[in-house]
Amino acid sequence: MSEVVPGLSIGEVAERTGLSVHTLRFYEREGILADPIRRDPGGRRVYHENDVDWLHLCMILRASGMPLPAIRRYTELVRAGDGTEAERLVLLRKHREWVLDQMDQLRKCLDLVNFKVGVYEDALDRVAVSSATGTDARR
């Protein structure tokens, strides 16, 4: 006798992933989910753990800046199965390069922000010292 694995409702998946119900429906329409979402006899979507795991992967790819068409392409390749590994690798390597470039750009931005924070901290320290000593901080 096989064990029946209970499914998850769209609301439960939304709660577990932090995605809205609207976004889950959108991802389904856009072909972002690795497996077709099953329906119960009443027509309601029934998700399983592997769907939640896949959504977490997609969320990480999306948060890292991967565009939806690239995620869709990756999903198509995964669905196609064996023989698509080389193309998946190309897609992920390209995205990795983009992420590394963004990280470099953000480091440069952070350097500037840190410099400006230091400038204003120094200026406020001078004002505090001059107030305490009664001298003019503008000198």
Side-chain angles (χ1 to χ4, degrees), residues 10-110:
I10 195 168
E12 290 169 323
V13 173
E15 186 176 310
R16 288 187 48 188
T17 62
L19 296 170
S20 69
V21 168
H22 173 77
T23 299
L24 290 169
R25 289 182 184 127
F26 173 75
Y27 278 8
E28 183 181 0
R29 279 192 312 271
E30 291 298 309
I32 301 298
L33 298 166
D35 296 315
I37 299 303
R38 291 143 305 274
R39 303 281 181 143
D40 69 10
R44 291 178 296 272
R45 290 168 176 84
V46 178
Y47 294 84
H48 294 285
E49 286 302 321
N50 59 326
D51 299 315
V52 174
D53 293 342
W54 183 260
L55 284 164
H56 281 125
L57 170 65
C58 291
M59 290 168 61
I60 290 168
L61 292 174
R62 191 72 190 108
S64 70
M66 184 179 276
L68 284 178
I71 295 172
R72 183 181 311 110
R73 180 64 185 144
Y74 181 71
T75 303
E76 291 166 356
L77 293 168
V78 168
R79 269 195 230 118
D82 293 343
T84 64
E85 294 85 359
E87 195 173 345
R88 288 185 237 175
L89 182 59
V90 167
L91 188 146
L92 291 171
R93 281 181 172 164
K94 180 179 176 184
H95 183 62
R96 177 179 63 190
E97 288 305 311
W98 185 87
V99 169
L100 289 169
D101 183 54
Q102 292 304 302
M103 289 172 65
D104 186 51
Q105 293 298 320
L106 284 172
R107 271 189 226 97
K108 290 174 184 173
C109 293
L110 182 59

Side-chain angles (χ1 to χ4, degrees), residues 113-133:
V113 169
N114 284 335
F115 171 76
K116 295 304 282 182
V117 165
V119 166
Y120 289 110
E121 286 174 343
D122 290 346
L124 290 173
D125 286 346
R126 284 192 304 275
V127 168
V129 168
S130 67
S131 294
T133 61

